[in-house]
Amino acid sequence: MPSHDMTALADASAAASTVGSEWWRSAVIYQIYPRSFADASGDGIGDLPGVTTHLDDLKQLGVDAIWLSPFMTSPQKDAGYDVADYCDVDPLFGTLGDFDDMLEAAHARGIRVIVDLVPNHSSDQHVWFQEALAAAPGSAERARYMFRDGKGENGELPPNNWESVFGGDAWTRVTEADGTPGQWYLHLFDTSQPDFDWSNEVVRAEFRRILRFWLDRGTDGFRVDVAHGLVKEAGLPDYTPDPESGSMGGDEADVPYWGQPGVHEVYRDWHGVLAEYDGDRALCAEAWLPTIEKTALWVRPDEMHQAFNFEYLETAWDAAKLRAVITESLRAYPAVGAPSTWVLSNHDVVRHASRLALTAENPQGFGIGPNSPGTPIADVGLRRARAATSVMLALPGSAYLYQGEELGLPEVIDISDDARQDPTWFRTKGERYGRDGCRVPLPWDATGPAYGFSPDGASWLPQPAEWATFARDVQVDDPASTLSLYRALLAERRARDLGVSALEWVDGLGDDVIAFHNGNVTVIANLGETPIAIPAGTVIVTSERLTGDTLPVDTTVWLERH
Ligand code: NOJ
């Protein structure tokens, strides 16, 4: 057990840091999607003991924190984002004791732990929803969710025209206790995910209790699911989404269920709850909003601490566009006293080793499969992903990594229809492939069962044969591997304090180039179609091997700054 790390975390959690020096301002946070990370029990689904087993690997990678997607009690209709009990661990993932062991082992290694909180909706198996179904219209039990009478002569039409993010109607009609067709309830996601009514103080009080439950166990913070969706516009006016926009609504303004001003009151309240605890506990918003300016409202000093920078994630591999989004991020977030975050992949988007080489439009949530247009060329995608990550990890602020990107994993395209599990696939009747392709269980060991994911070879989604070439064990000692690149980038970022330094653009290297100084590093990325000359200098890290003093296409280099 590395004692210096224990001391570091123990000191850090003893008291809050001075404003500006909190860990989350510059942390690199690694997302674990537990069901696909590592399976210790052998049922083909990853679990908390599996996470504990690989903490040394994450320590060696060099991350500051882990964020775990939901592992709470859930019927798994949306891979755990349908929570039936917010204060217990689903047996699929282990027990509360396994969580405590994992957290202690992470802290012992100087790694902080962020838990996913899902406040917009519960599972339909949550005791509150079951009570609501059994109770009468107008009851206190129904008032915790969004029940409404239907339109039409006999209430046979949904209360408005809203569509589910996963496709189909956002309303489902219930059968009342006497067997008659009854009210409708709102579910912005799957039918099995009824939305809470956040105008109800009972709901607010319950979530304060849930926050405290995890904070009391030592959790360092929360990633807040659908943070932009909790409050709906009064009167629930009709709204027709743009069919070409990403499914979480990020491209549209004035949506009556996204980004309503009332949500800020909720996060001010939660900020107060976290502030009651020692150390710097943090809230990170998953909020898909149309502009960085708007997202920055989520991280004002008395609200959340971070928000995912999805505008950055959604920016094409284009130097001018990337310069613009970085500039705007480094203006808008610091303007409200917050760090910018950076992210390229997560469990809801096409992995960036594929996305950056797509040649057709692919809105968030649509996924790619055998019949998608613009299939990426693997080599181009991986090369761009390595270059893109080498830019991202040089930026000031906090960066999020998604499990498997350190191995250069591509999106898995060839998943057979009968193996697909994402509700998006079912609710759109196969029109959208959805997100399974970025959720395929990780390869740890090229020759082991399920590539080392599971002891007996089980895997909840099929793993492709190419996983053997991406497995961690074949990369760990190869200096040219993507894993070695990530380790080098993270070590240099940490040693040179790049997360808290200031960016200064460097001009004059061409329109297709991104070049900047940060601290004692000069970063140059060539996004053009021909190699470019680079200044002579000591190379710190490079995303591809360099020959001579030119920078090949789709390559990033970090140089000692002179
Ligand atoms: C966002 C999560 O990241 C996604 O995976 C989930 O399906 C929806 N929210 C609904 O909870």
Side-chain angles (χ1 to χ4, degrees), residues 461-518:
L461 277 174
Q463 299 163 297
E466 64 181 326
W467 256 209
T469 57
F470 287 103
R472 185 178 187 281
D473 69 331
V474 298
Q475 297 203 32
V476 72
D477 295 322
D478 173 2
S481 71
T482 303
L483 180 59
S484 297
L485 172 65
Y486 270 69
R487 281 169 62 186
L489 293 168
L490 290 167
E492 294 293 346
R493 175 189 166 88
R494 180 188 296 261
R496 293 162 187 269
D497 282 335
L498 299 188
V500 291
S501 298
L503 179 143
E504 215 181 295
W505 291 112
V506 175
D507 297 323
L509 288 167
D511 291 347
D512 292 330
V513 174
I514 294 177
F516 57 87
H517 301 306
N518 185 14

Side-chain angles (χ1 to χ4, degrees), residues 78 81 118 121 166 189 193 223 225-226 248 286 347-348 435 439:
D78 183 22
Y81 283 96
V118 188
H121 46 265
F166 294 155
F189 294 88
Q193 293 167 295
R223 174 265 190 191
D225 188 63
V226 200
M248 252 18 135
E286 188 225 13
H347 66 292
D348 290 330
R435 304 157 298 173
R439 299 176 173 180

